[in-house]
Amino acid sequence: MSEECTQTTGAVTSSELLSVVAARELAGRRTVFAGIGLPTLAAELAHLTVAPEIEAVYESGVCGAHPSRLPETIADAVLITGAEAVLTMPALFGSVLQGGHIDVGFLGAAQIDRWGNLNTSVIGEWERPSVRLPGSGGAVEVMANAREVFVVMRRHTPRSFAGTLDFCTTPGPDRALADGIRPLGTGVTRVITELGILARDGVGDELRLVAVHPGVTVGQVRAATGWELKVADTVTTVEPPTDAELRLLRDDVDPHRVYLR
Amino acid sequence: MSEECTQTTGAVTSSELLSVVAARELAGRRTVFAGIGLPTLAAELAHLTVAPEIEAVYESGVCGAHPSRLPETIADAVLITGAEAVLTMPALFGSVLQGGHIDVGFLGAAQIDRWGNLNTSVIGEWERPSVRLPGSGGAVEVMANAREVFVVMRRHTPRSFAGTLDFCTTPGPDRALADGIRPLGTGVTRVITELGILARDGVGDELRLVAVHPGVTVGQVRAATGWELKVADTVTTVEPPTDAELRLLRDDVDPHRVYLR
Amino acid sequence: MRRSVDRTAGKVMSMREAVASFVHDGDTVSLEGFTHLIPTAAGHEIIRQGRRDLTVVRMTADIVVDQMLAAGCVTRLVSSFVGNSSAGSLGELRRRIEHADPEPLAFEEYSHYGMVCRYLAGAQRLPFHPLRSYAGSDLPSVNPGMRKVTSPYPAADGTTEQIYVVPPVNPDVTFIHAQRADRRGNTQIWGVTGIQAEAVYAAEKAVVVVEELVADEVVRADPNRTLVPAHAVDAVVLCPRGAHPSFAQGYYDRDNAFYRAWSAISKDPVRLREWLEEWVYGTTDHAAYVAKLGEEFWSGLAIGEALSEPVNYGRRL
Amino acid sequence: MRRSVDRTAGKVMSMREAVASFVHDGDTVSLEGFTHLIPTAAGHEIIRQGRRDLTVVRMTADIVVDQMLAAGCVTRLVSSFVGNSSAGSLGELRRRIEHADPEPLAFEEYSHYGMVCRYLAGAQRLPFHPLRSYAGSDLPSVNPGMRKVTSPYPAADGTTEQIYVVPPVNPDVTFIHAQRADRRGNTQIWGVTGIQAEAVYAAEKAVVVVEELVADEVVRADPNRTLVPAHAVDAVVLCPRGAHPSFAQGYYDRDNAFYRAWSAISKDPVRLREWLEEWVYGTTDHAAYVAKLGEEFWSGLAIGEALSEPVNYGRRL
């Protein structure tokens, strides 16, 4: 993707690109609710670069993990041994998450709409879906309670960036307000995809395109989005992963290639 | 109090009498929510006699205590070391007590009325009382949630067995029903005093005199009670503490005379 | 009124006895363990004994649930995540929901904290538990369990505030897997402890399956480690490696290869049936399942030592 | 939105700095510790610094609260038990409530579980927490905080069900005492653990006072022992014997003689004033208070060893 990187570090994969961009967005953040996979990579890379003080909190109750290997699940034994704390589930979801101690929550989804509402339940009708997806897990709680939410979506298509969700599992603050309940968090503030970065500031705000990866045009992103995508006045080009970022990611964060493929 | 005891074991004190009678009432019970003092003595004696399988649960979260010494507080270090479990306060009050796992709760009070409602807050008006008492502690929860409640009152007087409570801190099930809420427990089923034993079966039932200590008349108990006391068709005489009971109490349960005075 | 358990009665029994005694056709059965300490062996014994019409309650409905579905034990599922961890799909569950194949599956869909609050309410005999979830979600439209309550206190800005609540769940029986217990049922768990304690307290009956049955003194040397006290436990089942393919912190590691394999196995109903025949119906009990996997297999999941340091509980001098 | 704590910033400070930084006139201050680990030294430093108009939140308002009342720090008390343990009365508290002497004390009276639920609601940002208490009690008539909510689910018999609720409590600052913490604030407690974790999470700021400041490795060797993680802690104060006359399981025993003595001391306002002059105003800090009591005194509260057995957290091979 970036010529000057290729020589020293090999071709940048999609996982590497998304992890590096997500890590940069964590600058200055303190607590991140990390799912397994790209969010773990991003949090670990941020810890080594832009957010040395960051604490990854896992849905399993682990706080301040210092894993000897990259974890394969949110409750991986290597996350527990040597961690600073392992909390009960009521404490984790009640006091830590709903209590407002999470700065950034990472979420993924099968579908996202222009307000950052997410579908992880079904494709088709809920009662007899064409695809039954895993459902919320803790996503409803992360969206409702984290200060802000980053969404990482590998595939940017009109199907996944949907004009209308098949089902809204995880509502953003706009839908909460419409339901008569004042939301606590900002909802989705960043969506990081293979094409670029969408951003959103708060209640009433739509996602808008703020950055594209090198070689991607605004038109391409618009065409890949299932609604009429708003575009920032200035769309920047994402700086490709640097050699330093890639070396840290490959040699220190995921040397056994658990997630980097 | 009982001549045949005096010779071998010395005079029976009021504490000993109340402890022995309370212990007998615990026959067949499994979990007892024990306060410090007479309830601890009663539970320990019951464990050695009529209820070998009994488990004392303490407000501090201790379950299945095996103290090396008689505890002086509900959180005494000797209750913790060697206990089977020490629970958090939400677990103790929420899951164990409100969850319905306590067979018998022991309570004391400054005042009790004919329905077994208790006052531990004030003598006089709540806003500017003549005596400010400690308040509920966990008594409200014990009454609301234990299967039944035993009350031990050292002094049986018209002031403490009150026609009208100065303040109802801890309501029995009749008052709960009148407040529109279905109670879960039976409320007070036994009141053990220096004069005898009052009993009550359930909702709508008043306390009635069922037994007197040797030498005490029904008339004496009536005169010492601040309402027109109901009396059972047959009032039995409480069997005085046996030598075996007293020996266990004095030599095994409280050899250091923490509570037996 | 909740049962009162005789904590000194003989509670130690085989898995066969525990399932025969405490699981009946039509029961609501909770199996908890969040990634860690999943009571797989309990699920397999329920399959062997051919229970029917069960409602299964499990936050993360994963492989063991897919297996119970395939064995025809389950007509209703209450869950907050229906997937094979991050390793793929549950083939049987998807057939049941997407195609009613071979029969429909009633599904109550919650989120994780919704399930946590249902267990909390169940354990505490509360009529409901409030939580700051579901506002604006489509979930309440397909799940009548999610309702709103108006707070009797004004919000910070003086307005009236509404909040969603969930109802209690009170399983007929809860199974959990744990590292160790004594014969009375005092149960110690470390590592990820999840919602196991609340799931036990919420249930009418509770069965604790353990890696080790230990002497009273072991438990009593560290009472803060006891998350489930004897008075809440009806049966203790000794069943080493009973959480496989899940793991037991400090005992054996997770079988990640099996998780990855399950997507392909479960995608093909014939292959899934063969798997059940060979590994569940074809083994008399979990000990046979463990033996069939073989010691070489288990050595691949072996772990090393990382001991906690002792703390002083103190002793009066 | 709740604060976000930098968990790696310099949090270790003296009690003087912690009180100066986090306690202001008019604040709501929670001091928790249920018989065990009472943060007495924190209360004494608040007295030394002469804070005024505080609302004190403490389930068992005992000696330290009586002392803070006598020092004129407190105008409002939120509590579920106002007594000197089982050892007698609190003289100053009774004068304040019974005779408004020297000035009235506003008092919010709860029960223990009512307070637990207020902390739970505070920690979880809930508008209220339900509990099966107060039905038929006179407490709601003197405490407008206790209100009823109608359950949106029918009761088992089909009728409508009501339940009492309590509002959240969110102290400006919570102080707890604990056995040990690391420099980041990861705090480990054993023995009676009470409501400390929830009291910390309910507060805007939290100060943890510890018997020992330990290396990161000590905490990380037993993460299940950490009840309060670093992200919830703003300051760590090393203050050995800071719970006296309460106790610290595994460190020193309770000073029962002082509890018994307090009834007489506090009954006489002059004697109480003299006690404060000598033991609080007359000591520069808790180290001076400890030294003044003398090593012979402390040897009387010394305890022996009863170590927990280590458990294996495991290590990937």
Side-chain angles (χ1 to χ4, degrees):
Chain A
M1 195 158 272
S2 157
E3 295 256 328
E4 61 275 28
C5 289
T6 321
Q7 195 173 358
T8 50
T9 52
V12 176
T13 69
S14 162
S15 296
E16 288 168 344
L17 176 65
L18 294 172
S19 302
V20 166
V21 173
R24 291 176 187 160
E25 297 287 339
L26 288 172
R29 269 47 173 241
R30 287 172 177 167
T31 49
V32 55
F33 201 86
I36 282 297
L38 295 187
T40 311
L41 294 176
E44 290 290 321
L45 182 57
H47 172 65
L48 299 173
T49 54
V50 294
E53 79 285 13
I54 208 161
E55 176 187 6
V57 174
Y58 290 88
E59 213 170 43
S60 55
V62 179
C63 301
H66 300 272
S68 57
R69 302 277 184 96
L70 206 61
E72 291 194 45
T73 75
I74 49 163
D76 195 319
V78 300
L79 275 178
I80 312 305
T81 303
E84 296 172 27
V86 183
L87 303 182
T88 66
M89 202 142 287
L92 191 277
F93 277 100
S95 296
V96 181
L97 187 48
Q98 193 172 275
H101 289 270
I102 299 299
D103 289 342
V104 178
F106 272 98
L107 294 175
Q111 292 183 322
I112 184 170
D113 72 10
R114 70 182 72 196
W115 312 102
N117 302 303
L118 307 177
N119 173 20
T120 55
S121 290
V122 289
I123 300 301
E125 291 290 315
W126 187 88
E127 288 289 350
R128 182 63 55 86
S130 57
V131 182
R132 174 65 232 190
L133 302 162
S136 163
V140 168
E141 285 76 33
V142 171
M143 183 76 90
N145 297 298
R147 207 172 296 255
E148 51 184 321
V149 169
F150 289 2
V151 172
V152 180
M153 305 268 281
R154 275 178 192 275
R155 301 180 59 207
H156 195 139
T157 69
R159 189 78 196 264
S160 52
F161 286 72
T164 306
L165 301 179
D166 288 19
F167 185 87
C168 176
T169 315
T170 299
D174 296 282
R175 283 187 64 123
L177 266 180
D179 197 8
I181 292 182
R182 197 175 40 175
L184 293 168
T186 315
V188 174
T189 57
R190 292 288 182 281
V191 182
I192 299 161
T193 82
E194 56 182 354
L195 298 182
I197 304 175
L198 315 189
R200 188 183 149 278
D201 290 331
V203 174
D205 197 21
E206 277 188 41
L207 287 166
R208 65 191 186 285
L209 180 65
V210 296
V212 290
H213 293 300
V216 176
T217 66
V218 170
Q220 275 178 285
V221 185
R222 276 195 163 128
T225 302
W227 68 85
E228 200 177 322
L229 179 64
K230 290 197 173 178
V231 177
D233 294 343
T234 312
V235 174
T236 61
T237 299
V238 177
E239 196 199 337
T242 65
D243 285 4
E245 286 167 329
L246 287 171
R247 266 198 301 269
L248 285 170
L249 196 58
R250 293 169 179 175
D251 298 348
D252 294 345
V253 174
D254 191 10
H256 301 97
R257 296 295 183 271
V258 175
Y259 297 114
L260 291 177
R261 285 164 295 219
Chain B
M1 192 157 276
S2 155
E3 295 257 327
E4 61 277 26
C5 288
T6 322
Q7 196 174 357
T8 49
T9 51
V12 176
T13 67
S14 160
S15 296
E16 288 167 344
L17 177 66
L18 295 172
S19 303
V20 166
V21 173
R24 290 175 188 162
E25 298 285 341
L26 288 173
R29 269 48 173 240
R30 286 171 176 167
T31 48
V32 54
F33 201 86
I36 281 299
L38 296 186
T40 311
L41 294 176
E44 290 290 321
L45 182 58
H47 173 64
L48 298 173
T49 54
V50 295
E53 78 285 12
I54 208 161
E55 176 187 5
V57 174
Y58 291 88
E59 212 171 43
S60 54
V62 179
C63 302
H66 300 273
S68 58
R69 303 277 185 95
L70 206 61
E72 292 193 45
T73 73
I74 49 163
D76 195 321
V78 301
L79 276 177
I80 311 308
T81 303
E84 295 172 27
V86 182
L87 303 182
T88 65
M89 201 141 287
L92 190 279
F93 277 100
S95 296
V96 181
L97 186 48
Q98 194 172 276
H101 289 270
I102 299 298
D103 289 341
V104 178
F106 272 99
L107 294 175
Q111 292 182 321
I112 184 171
D113 73 10
R114 71 183 69 196
W115 311 102
N117 302 304
L118 306 177
N119 172 19
T120 54
S121 289
V122 289
I123 300 300
E125 292 289 316
W126 188 88
E127 287 287 350
R128 181 63 56 86
S130 58
V131 183
R132 175 63 232 190
L133 301 162
S136 162
V140 168
E141 285 77 33
V142 171
M143 182 76 89
N145 297 300
R147 207 172 296 256
E148 51 184 322
V149 169
F150 290 1
V151 173
V152 180
M153 305 268 282
R154 277 178 191 275
R155 301 181 58 209
H156 195 142
T157 68
R159 189 75 196 265
S160 52
F161 286 72
T164 306
L165 302 178
D166 288 19
F167 186 87
C168 176
T169 314
T170 299
D174 297 282
R175 284 187 63 124
L177 267 180
D179 196 9
I181 292 182
R182 195 175 42 172
L184 293 168
T186 316
V188 175
T189 56
R190 292 288 181 281
V191 183
I192 299 161
T193 81
E194 55 182 356
L195 298 181
I197 303 175
L198 315 189
R200 187 182 150 280
D201 289 332
V203 173
D205 197 19
E206 278 188 39
L207 286 167
R208 66 191 185 284
L209 181 65
V210 296
V212 291
H213 293 300
V216 175
T217 66
V218 169
Q220 275 179 285
V221 185
R222 277 195 163 128
T225 302
W227 68 85
E228 200 176 325
L229 180 63
K230 291 198 173 177
V231 176
D233 295 342
T234 311
V235 174
T236 60
T237 300
V238 177
E239 196 198 338
T242 65
D243 285 5
E245 286 169 330
L246 287 171
R247 266 198 301 268
L248 285 170
L249 196 58
R250 292 169 181 177
D251 299 347
D252 294 346
V253 174
D254 192 8
H256 300 96
R257 298 294 185 271
V258 175
Y259 298 114
L260 292 178
R261 282 164 297 215
Chain C
M1 201 77 186
R2 199 63 55 86
R3 79 197 179 280
S4 159
V5 173
D6 182 350
R7 54 201 280 285
T8 57
K11 293 182 188 172
V12 178
M13 59 182 77
S14 69
M15 186 73 87
R16 190 175 299 139
E17 290 172 289
V19 168
S21 305
F22 297 116
V23 185
H24 313 94
D25 288 354
D27 273 0
T28 296
V29 180
S30 163
L31 299 160
E32 283 300 346
F34 193 78
T35 311
H36 181 216
L37 296 171
I38 297 173
T40 311
H44 287 181
E45 184 58 26
I46 290 170
I47 292 172
R48 286 191 197 96
Q49 296 194 19
R51 290 295 178 279
R52 288 290 176 273
D53 297 324
L54 301 181
T55 293
V56 166
V57 185
R58 176 158 170 73
M59 288 178 64
T60 50
D62 40 20
I63 290 177
V64 69
V65 170
D66 212 31
Q67 294 169 345
M68 292 171 75
L69 290 172
C73 306
V74 185
T75 50
R76 186 173 196 84
L77 177 64
V78 183
S79 181
S80 44
F81 188 88
V82 291
N84 177 13
S85 182
S86 47
S89 276
L90 302 177
E92 184 72 14
L93 181 134
R94 289 189 55 183
R95 281 188 294 277
R96 291 281 293 270
I97 293 184
E98 294 168 7
H99 307 289
D101 170 21
E103 54 182 348
L105 175 68
F107 180 39
E108 293 181 33
E109 181 172 359
Y110 284 90
S111 61
H112 277 350
Y113 196 46
M115 289 295 293
V116 167
C117 290
R118 292 200 66 189
Y119 281 120
L120 282 166
Q124 299 176 30
R125 297 197 298 190
L126 288 174
F128 60 82
H129 199 292
L131 74 169
R132 289 205 176 273
S133 303
Y134 306 136
S137 173
D138 282 337
L139 285 169
S141 71
V142 298
N143 185 338
M146 298 168 180
R147 299 186 185 180
K148 275 190 215 173
V149 158
T150 301
S151 170
Y153 309 103
D157 61 1
T159 59
T160 298
E161 195 173 358
Q162 288 196 302
I163 188 161
Y164 274 90
V165 300
V166 291
V169 63
N170 290 110
D172 293 302
V173 60
T174 287
F175 286 84
I176 65 167
H177 194 91
Q179 277 107 336
R180 68 190 185 193
D182 65 21
R183 305 180 75 82
R184 285 175 169 158
N186 290 298
T187 305
Q188 302 198 320
I189 307 176
W190 59 97
V192 171
T193 59
I195 197 66
Q196 281 98 312
E198 289 77 8
V200 163
Y201 273 106
E204 285 300 312
K205 301 286 181 190
V207 179
V208 172
V209 186
V210 292
E211 291 294 322
E212 286 192 277
L213 201 58
V214 294
D216 294 354
E217 294 69 38
V218 173
V219 162
R220 289 169 47 187
D222 201 352
N224 286 104
R225 204 81 78 189
T226 306
L227 297 192
V228 180
H231 64 239
V233 174
D234 296 83
V236 179
V237 173
L238 174 63
C239 184
R241 296 167 171 169
H244 175 265
S246 166
F247 67 108
Q249 191 86 32
Y251 289 75
Y252 48 89
D253 217 333
R254 190 170 187 262
D255 183 359
N256 291 314
F258 185 76
Y259 277 87
R260 284 190 292 270
W262 185 255
S263 294
I265 296 170
S266 69
K267 192 169 185 175
D268 176 353
V270 175
R271 224 182 128 187
L272 173 45
R273 184 76 210 168
E274 286 168 357
W275 190 91
L276 284 178
E277 288 295 346
E278 179 174 2
W279 292 96
V280 183
Y281 297 115
T283 53
T284 54
D285 57 17
H286 195 73
Y289 170 98
V290 167
K292 186 173 161 70
L293 281 164
E295 275 313 307
E296 193 179 321
F297 168 82
W298 288 107
S299 69
L301 300 182
I303 53 157
E305 213 168 62
L307 297 179
S308 67
E309 292 184 41
V311 299
N312 188 18
Y313 276 91
R315 184 173 50 77
R316 189 154 293 162
L317 296 171
Chain D
M1 204 73 187
R2 197 66 52 86
R3 78 197 180 282
S4 161
V5 174
D6 181 349
R7 55 200 280 284
T8 55
K11 292 183 188 171
V12 178
M13 60 182 76
S14 69
M15 186 72 87
R16 189 174 300 140
E17 290 173 290
V19 168
S21 303
F22 296 116
V23 185
H24 314 94
D25 289 353
D27 273 1
T28 295
V29 180
S30 163
L31 299 161
E32 282 301 347
F34 193 76
T35 311
H36 182 216
L37 296 172
I38 298 172
T40 311
H44 287 181
E45 184 58 25
I46 290 170
I47 292 174
R48 286 190 196 97
Q49 296 195 19
R51 288 295 178 279
R52 290 291 176 271
D53 299 325
L54 301 181
T55 293
V56 167
V57 185
R58 177 159 169 71
M59 288 178 65
T60 51
D62 39 21
I63 291 178
V64 68
V65 170
D66 213 31
Q67 294 168 344
M68 292 172 76
L69 290 173
C73 305
V74 186
T75 51
R76 187 174 196 85
L77 177 64
V78 182
S79 181
S80 44
F81 187 88
V82 291
N84 176 12
S85 182
S86 48
S89 276
L90 302 177
E92 185 71 14
L93 180 134
R94 289 189 55 184
R95 280 187 293 279
R96 291 280 296 268
I97 292 184
E98 295 168 8
H99 306 291
D101 169 23
E103 55 180 346
L105 175 69
F107 179 39
E108 292 181 33
E109 182 171 0
Y110 283 90
S111 61
H112 276 351
Y113 196 45
M115 289 294 293
V116 167
C117 291
R118 293 200 64 188
Y119 281 120
L120 282 166
Q124 297 176 32
R125 297 196 298 191
L126 287 174
F128 60 83
H129 198 292
L131 74 171
R132 290 206 175 273
S133 304
Y134 307 134
S137 173
D138 282 337
L139 285 169
S141 71
V142 298
N143 185 338
M146 298 167 179
R147 300 186 185 180
K148 275 190 216 170
V149 158
T150 300
S151 170
Y153 309 101
D157 61 2
T159 59
T160 297
E161 194 172 1
Q162 287 195 304
I163 189 161
Y164 274 90
V165 299
V166 290
V169 61
N170 290 109
D172 293 302
V173 60
T174 286
F175 286 84
I176 65 167
H177 194 90
Q179 278 107 334
R180 67 190 186 194
D182 66 19
R183 305 181 75 82
R184 284 175 170 158
N186 289 297
T187 304
Q188 301 197 322
I189 307 177
W190 59 98
V192 172
T193 58
I195 197 65
Q196 280 97 311
E198 290 78 7
V200 162
Y201 273 105
E204 285 301 310
K205 300 288 180 185
V207 179
V208 172
V209 186
V210 293
E211 291 293 323
E212 286 192 277
L213 203 57
V214 295
D216 294 354
E217 294 69 36
V218 173
V219 162
R220 289 170 46 187
D222 201 352
N224 285 105
R225 203 80 83 186
T226 305
L227 297 192
V228 180
H231 64 239
V233 174
D234 296 84
V236 179
V237 173
L238 174 63
C239 183
R241 296 167 172 169
H244 176 266
S246 166
F247 67 108
Q249 191 86 32
Y251 288 76
Y252 49 89
D253 217 334
R254 190 169 186 263
D255 183 0
N256 290 313
F258 185 76
Y259 277 88
R260 284 191 292 270
W262 185 255
S263 293
I265 295 169
S266 70
K267 192 169 185 175
D268 176 352
V270 175
R271 224 180 129 189
L272 173 46
R273 185 74 209 167
E274 286 167 0
W275 189 92
L276 285 178
E277 288 294 347
E278 180 175 0
W279 291 96
V280 183
Y281 297 117
T283 53
T284 53
D285 57 16
H286 195 72
Y289 170 99
V290 167
K292 185 173 161 70
L293 281 164
E295 274 313 309
E296 193 179 319
F297 168 83
W298 288 106
S299 69
L301 299 182
I303 53 157
E305 212 169 64
L307 296 179
S308 68
E309 293 184 40
V311 297
N312 187 18
Y313 275 91
R315 185 171 50 78
R316 188 152 294 161
L317 296 170

